[in-house]
Protein backbone atom coordinates (compact mmCIF):
# COMPACT_ATOMS: atom_id res chain seq x y z
CA UNK A 1 0.00 0.00 0.00
CA UNK A 2 2.87 2.40 0.77
CA UNK A 3 3.94 2.24 -2.87
CA UNK A 4 0.58 3.58 -4.05
CA UNK A 5 1.36 7.01 -2.57
CA UNK A 6 2.56 8.42 -5.96
CA UNK A 7 -0.99 7.93 -7.31
CA UNK A 8 -1.80 11.00 -5.21
CA UNK A 9 -0.52 14.47 -5.95
CA UNK A 10 0.83 16.17 -2.78
CA UNK A 11 -1.42 19.23 -3.13
CA UNK A 12 -4.45 19.33 -0.82
CA UNK A 13 -8.13 19.99 -1.45
CA UNK A 14 -11.33 19.63 0.59
CA UNK A 15 -13.54 16.63 -0.29
CA UNK A 16 -16.62 15.78 1.80
CA UNK A 17 -15.44 18.26 4.47
CA UNK A 18 -12.06 16.53 4.81
CA UNK A 19 -8.55 17.26 3.64
CA UNK A 20 -7.53 14.95 0.81
CA UNK A 21 -4.78 14.88 -1.78
CA UNK A 22 -5.46 15.65 -5.42
CA UNK A 23 -5.80 12.47 -7.41
CA UNK A 24 -3.14 12.17 -10.12
CA UNK A 25 -5.49 10.60 -12.66
CA UNK A 26 -9.06 11.45 -13.67
CA UNK A 27 -10.14 7.89 -12.90
CA UNK A 28 -8.64 5.13 -10.79
CA UNK A 29 -8.60 1.39 -11.49
CA UNK A 30 -10.86 -0.79 -9.40
CA UNK A 31 -9.20 -1.73 -6.10
CA UNK A 32 -9.71 -5.25 -4.72
CA UNK A 33 -8.53 -6.28 -1.24
CA UNK A 34 -8.27 -9.88 -0.12
CA UNK A 35 -7.57 -11.08 3.42
CA UNK A 36 -7.42 -14.46 5.11
CA UNK A 37 -6.13 -16.26 8.18
CA UNK A 38 -2.46 -16.57 8.91
CA UNK A 39 -1.30 -20.23 8.89
CA UNK A 40 -1.22 -20.43 12.71
CA UNK A 41 -4.64 -18.80 13.27
CA UNK A 42 -8.00 -20.52 13.72
CA UNK A 43 -10.28 -17.55 13.11
CA UNK A 44 -10.41 -13.80 12.81
CA UNK A 45 -12.30 -11.94 15.50
CA UNK A 46 -15.10 -9.62 14.46
CA UNK A 47 -12.99 -6.73 15.69
CA UNK A 48 -10.14 -7.76 13.37
CA UNK A 49 -12.53 -8.08 10.42
CA UNK A 50 -14.05 -4.65 11.17
CA UNK A 51 -10.56 -3.17 11.44
CA UNK A 52 -9.45 -4.55 8.07
CA UNK A 53 -12.64 -3.63 6.25
CA UNK A 54 -12.61 -0.14 7.75
CA UNK A 55 -9.09 0.37 6.46
CA UNK A 56 -9.98 -0.88 2.97
CA UNK A 57 -12.96 1.47 2.86
CA UNK A 58 -10.79 4.38 3.98
CA UNK A 59 -8.16 3.75 1.29
CA UNK A 60 -10.74 3.63 -1.47
CA UNK A 61 -12.49 6.73 -0.13
CA UNK A 62 -9.24 8.68 -0.45
CA UNK A 63 -8.29 7.14 -3.79
CA UNK A 64 -11.82 7.92 -5.05
CA UNK A 65 -11.83 4.39 -6.46
CA UNK A 66 -14.38 1.61 -6.60
CA UNK A 67 -13.72 -1.99 -5.68
CA UNK A 68 -14.41 -4.92 -3.40
CA UNK A 69 -13.01 -6.51 -0.25
CA UNK A 70 -12.91 -10.31 -0.06
CA UNK A 71 -12.49 -12.66 2.88
CA UNK A 72 -10.82 -15.91 1.80
CA UNK A 73 -10.21 -19.34 3.21
CA UNK A 74 -7.75 -21.87 1.81
CA UNK A 75 -9.46 -22.36 -1.55
CA UNK A 76 -12.47 -20.06 -1.92
CA UNK A 77 -14.01 -16.66 -1.23
CA UNK A 78 -16.09 -16.66 1.98
CA UNK A 79 -17.61 -13.21 1.51
CA UNK A 80 -17.29 -10.03 -0.55
CA UNK A 81 -18.32 -6.45 0.22
CA UNK A 82 -18.30 -3.13 -1.61
CA UNK A 83 -15.41 -0.96 -0.40
CA UNK A 84 -17.52 2.18 -0.84
CA UNK A 85 -19.88 1.14 1.95
CA UNK A 86 -18.87 3.42 4.83
CA UNK A 87 -17.16 1.55 7.65
CA UNK A 88 -16.93 3.57 10.86
CA UNK A 89 -13.61 3.35 12.72
CA UNK A 90 -13.60 1.23 15.87
CA UNK A 91 -14.15 3.32 18.99
CA UNK A 92 -11.12 2.91 21.29
CA UNK A 93 -11.60 1.10 24.56
CA UNK A 94 -11.53 3.19 27.73
CA UNK A 95 -8.10 3.14 29.31
CA UNK A 96 -7.96 1.09 32.48
CA UNK A 97 -6.32 2.39 35.64
CA UNK A 98 -3.09 0.47 35.23
CA UNK A 99 -0.41 2.79 36.62
CA UNK A 100 2.95 1.05 36.44
CA UNK A 101 5.92 3.44 36.72
CA UNK A 102 9.12 2.67 34.82
CA UNK A 103 11.48 1.49 37.54
CA UNK A 104 15.26 1.80 37.59
CA UNK A 105 15.50 -1.85 36.54
CA UNK A 106 13.10 -1.48 33.56
CA UNK A 107 13.82 -0.62 29.95
CA UNK A 108 11.82 1.36 27.41
CA UNK A 109 12.15 1.14 23.63
CA UNK A 110 11.12 4.09 21.46
CA UNK A 111 10.58 3.38 17.76
CA UNK A 112 10.97 6.01 15.06
CA UNK A 113 8.54 4.49 12.56
CA UNK A 114 9.02 6.98 9.72
CA UNK A 115 10.31 5.66 6.38
CA UNK A 116 12.40 8.87 6.30
CA UNK A 117 14.34 7.69 9.36
CA UNK A 118 16.32 10.35 11.20
CA UNK A 119 15.53 12.97 8.53
CA UNK A 120 11.86 13.02 9.54
CA UNK A 121 9.35 14.99 11.59
CA UNK A 122 8.85 11.84 13.66
CA UNK A 123 12.49 11.84 14.79
CA UNK A 124 11.95 15.27 16.40
CA UNK A 125 8.99 13.92 18.37
CA UNK A 126 11.05 10.90 19.46
CA UNK A 127 13.71 13.26 20.84
CA UNK A 128 11.16 15.27 22.82
CA UNK A 129 9.44 12.17 24.23
CA UNK A 130 12.82 10.85 25.32
CA UNK A 131 13.63 14.20 26.94
CA UNK A 132 10.43 13.87 29.01
CA UNK A 133 11.51 10.42 30.22
CA UNK A 134 14.91 11.75 31.28
CA UNK A 135 13.28 14.65 33.15
CA UNK A 136 11.66 12.03 35.39
CA UNK A 137 14.95 10.32 36.18
CA UNK A 138 14.94 7.60 33.53
CA UNK A 139 18.59 6.95 32.65
CA UNK A 140 20.01 7.01 29.13
CA UNK A 141 21.03 3.36 29.46
CA UNK A 142 17.41 2.38 30.15
CA UNK A 143 16.23 3.89 26.85
CA UNK A 144 16.60 2.23 23.44
CA UNK A 145 15.79 4.26 20.31
CA UNK A 146 15.30 2.28 17.09
CA UNK A 147 14.79 3.50 13.52
CA UNK A 148 12.47 0.99 11.85
CA UNK A 149 13.53 2.34 8.44
CA UNK A 150 16.63 0.16 8.99
CA UNK A 151 14.77 -3.04 8.10
CA UNK A 152 17.96 -5.14 8.18
CA UNK A 153 17.97 -4.68 11.98
CA UNK A 154 14.36 -5.76 12.56
CA UNK A 155 15.15 -9.34 13.48
CA UNK A 156 17.83 -8.35 15.97
CA UNK A 157 15.58 -5.75 17.65
CA UNK A 158 12.55 -8.08 17.61
CA UNK A 159 14.57 -10.84 19.32
CA UNK A 160 14.84 -8.56 22.40
CA UNK A 161 11.28 -7.22 22.26
CA UNK A 162 10.03 -9.20 25.27
CA UNK A 163 13.09 -8.30 27.34
CA UNK A 164 11.80 -4.71 27.34
CA UNK A 165 8.84 -3.86 29.57
CA UNK A 166 7.72 -0.65 27.84
CA UNK A 167 7.44 0.30 24.17
CA UNK A 168 6.47 3.51 22.37
CA UNK A 169 5.90 3.56 18.60
CA UNK A 170 5.86 7.05 17.04
CA UNK A 171 4.85 7.14 13.37
CA UNK A 172 3.46 9.18 10.49
CA UNK A 173 0.09 8.33 9.00
CA UNK A 174 0.93 6.43 5.81
CA UNK A 175 -1.79 5.62 3.26
CA UNK A 176 -4.26 6.08 6.15
CA UNK A 177 -2.65 3.52 8.43
CA UNK A 178 0.75 2.57 9.81
CA UNK A 179 3.79 2.57 7.49
CA UNK A 180 4.60 -0.83 6.00
CA UNK A 181 7.86 -0.99 7.97
CA UNK A 182 5.84 -0.97 11.23
CA UNK A 183 3.74 -3.94 10.14
CA UNK A 184 6.89 -5.71 8.95
CA UNK A 185 8.50 -5.25 12.36
CA UNK A 186 5.39 -6.40 14.25
CA UNK A 187 5.19 -9.49 12.01
CA UNK A 188 8.83 -10.21 12.90
CA UNK A 189 8.09 -9.89 16.63
CA UNK A 190 5.08 -12.21 16.28
CA UNK A 191 7.09 -14.87 14.42
CA UNK A 192 9.77 -14.89 17.13
CA UNK A 193 7.27 -15.03 20.00
CA UNK A 194 4.87 -17.58 18.49
CA UNK A 195 6.54 -20.60 20.13
CA UNK A 196 6.86 -19.10 23.61
CA UNK A 197 3.66 -19.26 25.67
CA UNK A 198 5.15 -17.87 28.90
CA UNK A 199 6.18 -14.41 27.72
CA UNK A 200 5.16 -11.52 30.02
CA UNK A 201 2.95 -8.87 28.41
CA UNK A 202 4.82 -5.64 27.64
CA UNK A 203 3.14 -2.23 27.83
CA UNK A 204 2.84 -0.73 24.35
CA UNK A 205 1.86 2.84 23.43
CA UNK A 206 1.60 4.64 20.10
CA UNK A 207 1.55 8.12 18.62
CA UNK A 208 0.39 8.92 15.07
CA UNK A 209 1.19 12.26 13.43
CA UNK A 210 0.00 13.41 10.03
CA UNK A 211 0.11 16.32 7.61
CA UNK A 212 -3.68 16.46 7.44
CA UNK A 213 -4.99 19.03 9.93
CA UNK A 214 -7.84 17.01 11.42
CA UNK A 215 -7.20 14.25 13.96
CA UNK A 216 -10.05 12.08 12.67
CA UNK A 217 -7.85 11.12 9.68
CA UNK A 218 -5.92 8.76 12.00
CA UNK A 219 -8.90 6.99 13.61
CA UNK A 220 -8.57 3.89 11.39
CA UNK A 221 -4.86 3.65 12.18
CA UNK A 222 -5.53 3.94 15.92
CA UNK A 223 -8.07 1.11 15.66
CA UNK A 224 -5.49 -1.08 13.91
CA UNK A 225 -2.81 -0.42 16.52
CA UNK A 226 -5.13 -1.15 19.45
CA UNK A 227 -6.34 -4.32 17.71
CA UNK A 228 -2.74 -5.51 17.25
CA UNK A 229 -2.20 -5.14 21.01
CA UNK A 230 -5.31 -7.20 21.74
CA UNK A 231 -4.25 -9.82 19.18
CA UNK A 232 -0.79 -10.20 20.76
CA UNK A 233 -1.91 -9.90 24.38
CA UNK A 234 0.13 -6.72 24.83
CA UNK A 235 -1.00 -4.17 27.41
CA UNK A 236 -2.35 -1.27 25.33
CA UNK A 237 -0.99 1.98 26.79
CA UNK A 238 -2.88 4.46 24.62
CA UNK A 239 -2.55 6.06 21.19
CA UNK A 240 -2.04 9.78 20.66
CA UNK A 241 -2.95 11.60 17.45
CA UNK A 242 -1.79 14.96 16.09
CA UNK A 243 -2.53 16.48 12.69
CA UNK A 244 -0.94 19.38 10.83
CA UNK A 245 2.61 18.15 11.43
CA UNK A 246 4.03 18.22 7.89
CA UNK A 247 6.91 20.67 7.75
CA UNK A 248 7.79 20.40 11.45
CA UNK A 249 11.49 20.14 10.58
CA UNK A 250 11.29 23.34 8.54
CA UNK A 251 9.69 25.37 11.35
CA UNK A 252 11.89 27.28 13.85
CA UNK A 253 12.22 25.53 17.21
CA UNK A 254 10.57 28.46 18.96
CA UNK A 255 7.45 28.01 16.82
CA UNK A 256 7.37 24.30 17.78
CA UNK A 257 7.65 25.02 21.53
CA UNK A 258 4.03 24.07 22.26
CA UNK A 259 4.14 20.66 20.57
CA UNK A 260 7.59 19.94 22.02
CA UNK A 261 6.37 20.80 25.51
CA UNK A 262 3.39 18.45 25.06
CA UNK A 263 5.75 15.63 24.07
CA UNK A 264 7.95 16.34 27.08
CA UNK A 265 4.80 15.99 29.21
CA UNK A 266 3.85 12.74 27.46
CA UNK A 267 7.32 11.30 28.17
CA UNK A 268 7.22 12.43 31.80
CA UNK A 269 3.76 10.99 32.36
CA UNK A 270 4.69 7.72 30.66
CA UNK A 271 7.75 7.43 32.91
CA UNK A 272 5.62 7.90 36.04
CA UNK A 273 2.61 5.81 35.00
CA UNK A 274 3.46 3.52 32.08
CA UNK A 275 0.67 4.79 29.82
CA UNK A 276 -0.36 7.95 27.94
CA UNK A 277 -2.62 10.49 29.72
CA UNK A 278 -6.06 11.02 28.17
CA UNK A 279 -6.21 14.75 29.04
CA UNK A 280 -3.05 15.60 27.04
CA UNK A 281 -4.12 13.32 24.18
CA UNK A 282 -7.56 14.99 24.07
CA UNK A 283 -5.88 18.37 23.58
CA UNK A 284 -3.32 17.21 21.02
CA UNK A 285 -5.90 15.63 18.73
CA UNK A 286 -7.68 18.95 18.15
CA UNK A 287 -9.09 19.83 15.70
CA UNK A 288 -10.76 16.43 15.43
CA UNK A 289 -12.61 17.66 12.34
CA UNK A 290 -11.97 20.64 10.09
CA UNK A 291 -13.15 23.89 11.62
CA UNK A 292 -15.30 26.36 9.67
CA UNK A 293 -12.38 28.80 9.52
CA UNK A 294 -10.05 26.19 7.99
CA UNK A 295 -12.64 25.21 5.37
CA UNK A 296 -13.26 28.90 4.63
CA UNK A 297 -9.52 29.48 4.17
CA UNK A 298 -9.35 26.73 1.57
CA UNK A 299 -12.35 28.28 -0.18
CA UNK A 300 -11.16 31.91 -0.20
CA UNK A 301 -7.36 31.78 -0.38
CA UNK A 302 -5.77 31.59 -3.85
CA UNK A 303 -4.89 28.03 -4.78
CA UNK A 304 -1.24 29.00 -5.41
CA UNK A 305 -0.90 30.35 -1.87
CA UNK A 306 -2.36 27.19 -0.29
CA UNK A 307 -0.04 24.92 -2.29
CA UNK A 308 3.08 27.05 -1.74
CA UNK A 309 4.67 24.60 0.73
CA UNK A 310 4.46 21.57 -1.56
CA UNK A 311 5.59 23.59 -4.58
CA UNK A 312 8.67 24.69 -2.61
CA UNK A 313 9.42 21.07 -1.70
CA UNK A 314 9.10 19.95 -5.31
CA UNK A 315 11.36 22.79 -6.49
CA UNK A 316 13.91 21.83 -3.85
CA UNK A 317 13.92 18.26 -5.16
CA UNK A 318 13.94 19.45 -8.80
CA UNK A 319 10.68 17.75 -9.79
CA UNK A 320 8.31 20.72 -10.10
CA UNK A 321 8.18 20.40 -13.91
CA UNK A 322 7.12 16.76 -13.62
CA UNK A 323 4.79 17.24 -10.66
CA UNK A 324 1.64 16.58 -12.69
CA UNK A 325 3.12 13.74 -14.74
CA UNK A 326 0.87 10.75 -15.45
CA UNK A 327 3.30 7.95 -16.37
CA UNK A 328 0.66 5.19 -16.20
CA UNK A 329 -1.91 6.90 -18.39
CA UNK A 330 -2.56 4.94 -21.57
Amino acid sequence: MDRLIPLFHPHIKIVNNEMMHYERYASMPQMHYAYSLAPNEKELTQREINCLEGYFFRCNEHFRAKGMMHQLNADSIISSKDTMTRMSPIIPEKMKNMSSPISSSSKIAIYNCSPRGTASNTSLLVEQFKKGLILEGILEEQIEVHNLSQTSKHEEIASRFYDVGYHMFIMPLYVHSMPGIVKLFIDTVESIASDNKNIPSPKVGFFVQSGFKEGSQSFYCRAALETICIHNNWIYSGCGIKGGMEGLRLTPEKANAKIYSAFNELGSYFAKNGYLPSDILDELIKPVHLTKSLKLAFTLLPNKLIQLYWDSQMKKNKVIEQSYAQPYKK
Side-chain angles (χ1 to χ4, degrees):
M1 293 301 297
D2 288 5
R3 294 179 184 273
L4 295 181
I5 284 178
L7 294 181
F8 291 131
H9 190 280
H11 287 166
I12 299 289
K13 64 179 177 178
I14 305 297
V15 179
N16 297 327
N17 293 316
E18 287 189 317
M19 293 181 78
M20 293 191 182
H21 289 292
Y22 277 86
E23 57 273 40
R24 186 166 291 279
Y25 299 89
S27 61
M28 289 286 288
Q30 284 198 5
M31 308 271 280
H32 288 258
Y33 306 88
Y35 64 95
S36 62
L37 292 168
N40 60 338
E41 292 178 319
K42 294 182 179 178
E43 64 178 354
L44 288 172
T45 66
Q46 190 58 51
R47 181 190 178 91
E48 289 168 338
I49 291 171
N50 291 348
C51 187
L52 281 166
E53 293 184 351
Y55 172 54
F56 298 152
F57 156 75
R58 188 60 173 169
C59 284
N60 268 30
E61 186 177 48
H62 270 263
F63 279 118
R64 271 82 86 192
K66 294 181 179 180
M68 301 290 289
M69 55 188 103
H70 311 280
Q71 185 177 359
L72 314 177
N73 63 14
D75 52 13
S76 64
I77 296 174
I78 298 172
S79 64
S80 296
K81 291 183 181 178
D82 188 338
T83 53
M84 297 314 291
T85 303
R86 175 166 278 276
M87 304 289 294
S88 297
I90 296 168
I91 298 171
E93 294 185 359
K94 287 186 177 180
M95 294 291 294
K96 302 176 181 67
N97 184 4
M98 54 170 192
S99 184
S100 173
I102 300 177
S103 67
S104 59
S105 60
S106 300
K107 289 184 178 180
I108 175 170
I110 311 173
Y111 302 90
N112 175 356
C113 304
S114 172
R116 299 178 189 173
T118 54
S120 64
N121 297 319
T122 301
S123 67
L124 299 178
L125 302 180
V126 168
E127 289 172 18
Q128 297 303 323
F129 187 84
K130 180 182 175 181
K131 189 179 289 185
L133 295 172
I134 292 171
L135 286 170
E136 292 302 323
I138 305 300
L139 302 176
E140 284 272 3
E141 52 263 36
Q142 292 178 255
I143 305 169
E144 301 176 2
V145 177
H146 303 293
N147 290 303
L148 293 188
S149 59
Q150 298 175 316
T151 54
S152 62
K153 295 185 178 180
H154 280 200
E155 193 165 329
E156 177 194 343
I157 301 166
S159 68
R160 304 194 305 272
F161 187 86
Y162 285 94
D163 297 330
V164 177
Y166 302 83
H167 300 264
M168 174 58 64
F169 291 82
I170 303 177
M171 69 191 72
L173 186 70
Y174 233 61
V175 196
H176 317 297
S177 191
M178 71 195 87
I181 55 174
V182 182
K183 185 64 170 66
L184 177 66
F185 177 72
I186 290 170
D187 287 348
T188 306
V189 172
E190 289 177 349
S191 67
I192 288 171
S194 59
D195 297 328
N196 192 337
K197 305 299 181 185
N198 300 310
I199 298 171
S201 297
K203 295 175 177 63
V204 183
F206 305 92
F207 199 94
V208 184
Q209 57 92 0
S210 75
F212 296 122
K213 291 286 186 185
E214 63 269 44
S216 59
Q217 296 273 3
S218 298
F219 282 176
Y220 293 88
C221 183
R222 179 175 64 185
L225 297 170
E226 185 180 8
T227 302
I228 284 170
C229 284
I230 294 169
H231 180 82
N232 287 296
N233 198 32
W234 298 342
I235 298 171
Y236 175 66
S237 300
C239 179
I241 292 171
K242 183 62 181 172
M245 299 292 277
E246 182 56 55
L248 193 67
R249 292 191 73 84
L250 306 178
T251 310
E253 189 166 340
K254 192 173 181 180
N256 295 335
K258 190 174 180 181
I259 185 67
Y260 288 172
S261 175
F263 261 76
N264 295 161
E265 288 184 56
L266 286 178
S268 296
Y269 193 96
F270 198 88
K272 291 186 288 186
N273 299 278
Y275 65 96
L276 299 175
S278 57
D279 56 340
I280 299 178
L281 299 187
D282 289 345
E283 283 301 311
L284 281 170
I285 197 174
K286 294 176 182 177
V288 178
H289 301 286
L290 283 185
T291 61
K292 288 182 180 179
S293 59
L294 279 170
K295 285 187 278 189
L296 188 63
F298 266 84
T299 304
L300 298 179
L301 287 175
N303 196 51
K304 282 283 184 184
L305 184 61
I306 293 172
Q307 314 302 358
L308 198 59
Y309 167 75
W310 282 113
D311 282 345
S312 69
Q313 291 299 296
M314 287 187 281
K315 285 176 183 175
K316 180 181 175 182
N317 288 283
K318 300 178 181 178
V319 294
I320 188 71
E321 290 79 12
Q322 293 85 37
S323 61
Y324 286 95
Q326 297 178 326
Y328 302 121
K329 189 174 182 179
K330 291 182 179 178

